Amino acid sequence: MNLIEPALQWQPEFQAIRRDLHAHPELKFKEVRTAEVVARNLQQWGYTVDCGLAGTGVVASLTVGTSKRSIGLRADMDALPLQEINHFEHRSVHDGRMHACGHDGHTAMLLAAARVMMHRKQINGTVHFIFQPAEEGGGGARRMIEEGLFKRFPCDAVFGLHNWPGTAAGTFGVTPGPMMASSNEFEIHVHGKGAHAALPHLGVDPVMIAVAIAQNLQTIVSRNCKPIDAAVLSITKIHAGSATNIIAQEARMAGTVRTFSINVLDMVEARMREIIEHTAIALGGSATLSFERNYPPTVNNPEMASFCADVMEEVVGAENVDRRIEPTMGAEDFSYMLLEKPGSYAFIGNGAGGHREMGHGAGPCTLHNASYDFNDEIIPIGATYWVRLAERFLSEPA
Ligand SMILES: [Zn+2]
Ligand SMILES: [Zn+2]
């Protein structure tokens, strides 16, 4: 492994910051203390800090030399509404709040990179360190953009990094094109006509309509989606009725749709509307669909993904980099940044859980799990990746 010396040497300091953030998790758009910790450290290392984009967002910039080239590096800062079950010293001090997605680690790695880059000053251009709130369902990235992130801090390209438990520490993964899915929620309201269950001919049974809709919707992925395009349509709720001798008046259904492209998403939503409305009419009732698009798909610029992979290879060696990692159906609000700028999102191995024996305590170590903990050993690896990425990007001719 080819790590930058100060990143390695200062690991204990960044580990302490990471554990302090872990002990004080804050939920989306409420990252007040976290933003203060980030800003205070950056100021100590000589940065001028901009606070307040999207409420609690923090941006710091480093300009060296005369080049107009610029790069944005992004970390997320928010925690999850989850009760931590770990017993180690740095466990959450707040009931029902926990850093179970490792955003404490992402913040620490980017802080480490900021400190190392200020120390080295081996760039020609500008690096913007972007600490965003509310990745977990709040769309903090979108709000930062709406409030002028890229106008005030212009970036030629922007990069994101997420820890990935289960893959070895000292490894990276990235892929050109879609890396994570769009996430969308829907609700269906079926209107029938209530009646005595012994006299069905006097009513319109919304249960039968709901069942038919559920069946017919499954033809979208199997019959309308191009076989090489991926989509998920899951109906996760069906509710109707109150007694065994009453045909209900209405039924409600809900679920999620995931896709890797907006085109496929447009098609799925349009077909859902047709199938839902016409199935209900065919059975004598009516139905409406409300469809809410949350995060768009996270789609890496192929050139930037390849650039990332080259930098990763420089840090951990080609044998430890998966240049075509399998995309996941999870979602990420870094997708909004990739809609604005070329760039790439990547995974850094958080380890298979071995770090837990070194004082982290036992238990599974998967994202959004109540016993998760970020692996502090990878802070210098992530920090070195950030530093080399920025230095290499900014050394290329404009
Ligand atoms: Zn998460
Ligand atoms: Zn996350």
Side-chain angles (χ1 to χ4, degrees):
M1 223 178 295
N2 178 17
L3 300 182
I4 291 172
E5 191 47 45
L8 207 51
Q9 192 187 319
W10 296 336
Q11 192 274 348
E13 189 184 326
F14 300 123
Q15 170 172 314
I17 293 172
R18 203 286 293 178
R19 293 187 178 192
D20 172 66
L21 294 177
H22 189 92
H24 301 92
E26 295 173 301
L27 300 183
K28 57 184 171 192
F29 293 123
K30 292 180 179 155
E31 307 88 343
V32 176
R33 182 186 182 280
T34 308
E36 274 170 21
V37 169
V38 167
R40 192 180 350 108
N41 278 293
L42 289 166
Q43 280 160 348
Q44 255 173 34
W45 303 327
Y47 283 94
T48 306
V49 175
D50 182 276
C51 296
L53 271 181
T56 47
V58 179
V59 184
S61 309
L62 176 66
T63 300
V64 180
T66 52
S67 166
K68 291 275 172 265
R69 272 172 79 81
S70 58
I71 184 174
L73 311 179
R74 168 274 202 177
D76 39 16
M77 302 189 289
D78 58 321
L80 284 158
L82 182 68
Q83 181 63 44
E84 179 158 6
I85 59 170
N86 290 314
H87 292 293
F88 46 63
E89 217 169 284
H90 60 279
R91 70 183 175 276
S92 173
V93 301
H94 300 297
D95 275 345
R97 284 191 242 160
M98 178 188 175
H99 268 296
C101 204
H103 299 184
D104 48 348
H106 303 164
T107 301
M109 288 192 292
L110 192 57
L111 280 174
R115 176 151 190 216
V116 171
M117 269 188 259
M118 181 59 96
H119 175 75
R120 284 163 65 90
K121 295 201 175 69
Q122 289 180 19
I123 53 165
N124 184 17
T126 299
V127 188
H128 298 298
F129 300 90
I130 303 164
F131 297 86
Q132 73 147 84
E135 190 287 319
E136 298 286 1
R142 182 181 54 195
R143 214 178 117 188
M144 282 187 97
I145 294 165
E146 284 167 0
E147 293 181 14
L149 174 66
F150 292 128
K151 289 196 186 77
R152 294 182 51 202
F153 306 98
C155 296
D156 294 330
V158 67
F159 296 89
L161 185 63
H162 206 293
N163 78 97
W164 209 246
T167 51
T171 65
F172 286 96
V174 67
T175 196
M179 177 109 173
M180 297 189 100
S182 71
S183 82
N184 316 275
E185 287 168 37
F186 64 83
E187 283 184 28
I188 302 164
H189 194 173
V190 178
H191 306 272
K193 187 179 167 202
H196 196 296
L199 305 167
H201 57 292
L202 299 180
V204 173
D205 188 351
V207 171
M208 294 315 297
I209 297 173
V211 168
I213 286 174
Q215 297 264 31
N216 292 345
L217 286 179
Q218 292 310 322
T219 64
I220 297 174
V221 174
S222 66
R223 302 290 83 185
N224 302 132
C225 215
K226 212 159 96 181
I228 55 165
D229 285 337
V232 173
L233 192 166
S234 291
I235 295 159
T236 55
K237 295 201 273 186
I238 299 185
H239 293 295
S242 58
T244 52
N245 61 352
I246 299 170
I247 288 171
Q249 179 83 16
E250 56 174 33
R252 288 181 185 270
M253 311 161 73
T256 185
V257 169
R258 306 280 170 129
T259 70
F260 284 128
S261 83
I262 299 287
N263 287 345
V264 172
L265 180 58
D266 288 343
M267 183 279 288
V268 170
E269 184 182 342
R271 284 298 291 142
M272 283 182 74
R273 211 169 287 284
E274 287 169 0
I275 287 172
I276 288 163
E277 289 172 4
H278 290 96
T279 300
I281 290 168
L283 295 174
S286 65
T288 53
L289 168 70
S290 70
F291 195 96
E292 194 177 329
R293 296 186 180 201
N294 296 335
Y295 293 169
T298 303
V299 182
N300 287 340
N301 173 297
E303 212 176 302
M304 292 298 146
S306 162
F307 173 70
C308 276
D310 291 345
V311 174
M312 291 165 178
E313 290 186 357
E314 192 186 324
V315 178
V316 293
E319 66 281 13
N320 292 313
V321 178
D322 188 345
R323 302 181 71 106
R324 282 195 171 268
I325 201 166
E326 190 174 84
T328 100
M329 278 284 173
E332 229 314 322
D333 84 342
F334 187 67
S335 51
Y336 291 111
M337 296 200 182
L338 290 179
L339 287 176
E340 301 287 320
K341 300 287 172 189
S344 178
Y345 183 74
F347 292 148
I348 177 169
N350 193 55
H355 65 287
R356 307 194 59 93
E357 283 145 35
M358 297 177 286
H360 292 244
C365 192
T366 57
L367 296 177
H368 293 211
N369 182 285
S371 67
Y372 169 87
D373 196 29
F374 182 83
N375 183 353
D376 294 308
E377 301 307 309
I378 70 171
I379 294 174
I381 306 172
T384 298
Y385 165 71
W386 279 138
V387 174
R388 296 242 186 260
L389 186 81
E391 289 182 353
R392 210 157 140 174
F393 187 86
L394 295 176
S395 69
E396 285 178 6

